[in-house]
Amino acid sequence: DTIEKKKEDFLQQNEDASFKYCQAIMKQLSEPLKKSISEKTFSVHGGHELYLQAKRKVELDYKLVPRKGVK
């Protein structure tokens, strides 16, 4: 029973650490996209496609980050 409780605590700690790490990575990777949005970079003809490209880049960069853990 004690071992099972420790295992659950350990798994929860891993999930929490993974969530915080992933959240920080996403914040860092999406910063240029947020800046472009606030500077109205995409408010031009064809801007929606530019936005989709920038969004895809954030997603691809995130997938390349190692050791994201369970979250």
Side-chain angles (χ1 to χ4, degrees):
D1 212 29
T2 303
I3 291 173
E4 191 63 32
K5 176 69 173 139
K6 291 216 181 261
K7 177 185 170 189
E8 291 298 320
D9 289 345
F10 184 70
L11 290 174
Q12 186 61 50
Q13 288 174 9
N14 280 345
E15 286 186 20
D16 293 345
S18 174
F19 180 79
K20 288 177 185 175
Y21 179 68
C22 291
Q23 202 172 30
I25 290 169
M26 280 304 296
K27 184 176 180 176
Q28 177 186 6
L29 291 175
S30 65
E31 197 58 42
L33 179 60
K34 289 181 192 178
K35 183 177 179 188
S36 293
I37 291 170
S38 67
E39 292 175 350
K40 302 185 191 278
T41 301
F42 306 118
S43 296
V44 295
H45 181 69
H48 184 256
E49 185 59 36
L50 294 173
Y51 166 76
L52 292 177
Q53 289 173 3
K55 182 179 162 236
R56 276 188 226 115
K57 181 179 179 342
V58 171
E59 292 168 350
L60 290 173
D61 288 348
Y62 179 76
K63 287 181 182 179
L64 294 175
V65 173
R67 301 183 319 268
K68 289 187 288 278
V70 296
K71 293 289 182 178

